[in-house]
Amino acid sequence: MSKKASERWTNFIVYSLLTLGSLVILIPFWWLFITTMKSPAEAFIMPPDWFPKPNFVKYTEIWEKAPFLQGIFNSLKVALPVITVGTFTSSLAAFAFSKLRFPGRNFLFLMLLATIMIPFPVVMIPQFVMFAELQWIDSLKPLIIPAMLGNVFMMFFIRQFMNGISDEFIEAAKIDGASLFGIFIKIMLPMVKPAVAAQLILWFLGIWNDYLGPRIYLSTPEKKTIQLMMADFNAFYVIQSDYPLIMAAAFIVMIPILIVFLVFQRYFVESLNFTGVKG
């Protein structure tokens, strides 16, 4: 067998296995989607009908049964400021820890990394007391303002990416008269775009799916995020066994995450290669 034929067979086997794996992963999503097309009684029929007649009535019912639009808007009010401002501050901190030299840099970086290992229940009560004294309880401020200061894991990931970029780019920019902030904006940030996009996806996913934080700080129904509304919605309609309605709500909640991933998927794949520009 020639080398070319051997490569074709190898590629065929690899792509076949990847296709099989993709189908295994997509089956639960397809099952969720087709359940939304059924009546509550049909949802329990076994074996299930994998190709039911299209029926989108549940997608109109969910907007009448619960204020999901308000929940989505509240979650976006948390996610958008956090991932925009927080991504910028995290990237800026990563640049400082990677390319700048200042006393205590390594010690400060290790202290920040140590905070990742602190379980949230340890700081949950002190944070609640602090935010209560600031009169932030029952508002979105505890979910937005602290997170806008940065994400330690994102900072670590981007810093490691920046370490692979040659310092010659910075030296050349300094010779041309560029400021440190200009170097960060015009040189470093475009080079680490895949790493930033990958972390942005993961951070958005964490914020969108966050349940514990909003449950601690929010009590007014109009201020609840989508996950709190989804939990209350499930608790009510699971008693009525209206699983198609619950699945339709879950599918709607999942759409923003899919949109974010589709927009940034190219950069996410590039970040997995962890390739930097090396001198």
Side-chain angles (χ1 to χ4, degrees):
M1 184 181 296
S2 66
K3 183 178 179 181
K4 203 168 187 179
S6 176
E7 289 179 354
R8 281 201 300 266
W9 275 106
T10 302
N11 291 336
F12 174 77
I13 294 173
V14 169
Y15 284 115
S16 298
L17 292 174
L18 291 175
T19 302
L20 181 62
S22 300
L23 291 175
V24 172
I25 294 173
L26 290 174
I27 284 175
F29 293 99
W30 178 250
W31 179 81
L32 180 148
F33 178 69
I34 63 172
T35 303
T36 67
M37 305 289 178
K38 302 176 182 179
S39 66
E42 293 172 339
F44 290 94
I45 296 177
M46 289 295 172
D49 181 5
W50 291 100
F51 300 96
K53 183 179 179 180
N55 181 9
F56 297 96
V57 65
K58 294 298 180 182
Y59 290 97
T60 58
E61 283 186 24
I62 59 175
W63 308 109
E64 302 169 358
K65 304 285 186 177
F68 271 98
L69 193 61
Q70 182 64 42
I72 292 174
F73 180 68
N74 290 337
S75 290
L76 290 176
K77 284 204 303 188
V78 174
L80 294 181
V82 168
I83 63 174
T84 51
V85 180
T87 297
F88 176 77
T89 55
S90 300
S91 304
L92 194 60
F95 172 68
F97 282 115
S98 176
K99 298 303 180 183
L100 303 186
R101 302 291 182 265
F102 53 89
R105 184 188 67 164
N106 293 334
F107 175 78
L108 183 58
F109 180 69
L110 289 175
M111 290 299 100
L112 286 173
L113 287 183
T115 61
I116 300 177
M117 294 177 274
I118 301 176
F120 180 68
V122 174
V123 298
M124 182 170 59
I125 296 177
Q127 281 187 355
F128 183 87
V129 173
M130 180 181 67
F131 293 141
E133 292 179 354
L134 293 173
Q135 298 182 351
W136 286 4
I137 301 302
D138 198 24
S139 72
L140 297 177
K141 293 179 182 178
L143 305 175
I144 298 175
I145 296 177
M148 289 172 65
L149 300 177
N151 182 298
V152 176
F153 189 81
M154 174 183 278
M155 179 201 67
F156 168 74
F157 188 82
I158 297 175
R159 174 188 176 271
Q160 298 304 107
F161 214 92
M162 286 182 176
N163 284 343
I165 299 176
S166 175
D167 292 339
E168 294 179 1
F169 289 99
I170 298 177
E171 298 302 326
K174 286 181 178 179
I175 293 173
D176 290 338
S179 63
L180 286 175
F181 188 74
I183 293 172
F184 168 71
I185 293 294
K186 297 179 181 179
I187 297 177
M188 300 299 293
L189 206 54
M191 286 185 174
V192 297
K193 191 185 297 182
V196 172
Q199 290 301 305
L200 188 146
I201 293 173
L202 297 176
W203 201 1
F204 180 84
L205 179 63
I207 296 171
W208 189 262
N209 290 334
D210 185 20
Y211 173 80
L212 183 57
R215 179 59 76 188
I216 293 172
Y217 301 117
L218 302 177
S219 57
T220 304
E222 292 77 15
K223 297 179 181 179
K224 289 184 177 181
T225 59
I226 189 62
Q227 294 303 328
L228 294 186
M229 289 189 178
M230 187 69 192
D232 297 340
F233 187 82
N234 288 351
F236 182 79
Y237 284 99
V238 73
I239 300 174
Q240 303 181 22
S241 299
D242 196 346
Y243 287 99
L245 189 64
I246 294 174
M247 294 298 183
F251 190 81
I252 292 295
V253 171
M254 188 175 59
I255 289 177
I257 297 175
L258 294 176
I259 293 174
V260 171
F261 180 76
L262 290 174
V263 171
F264 294 101
Q265 64 171 329
R266 180 169 64 90
Y267 301 111
F268 183 80
V269 173
E270 288 179 12
S271 72
L272 298 180
N273 296 326
F274 208 77
T275 56
V277 181
K278 297 183 179 180

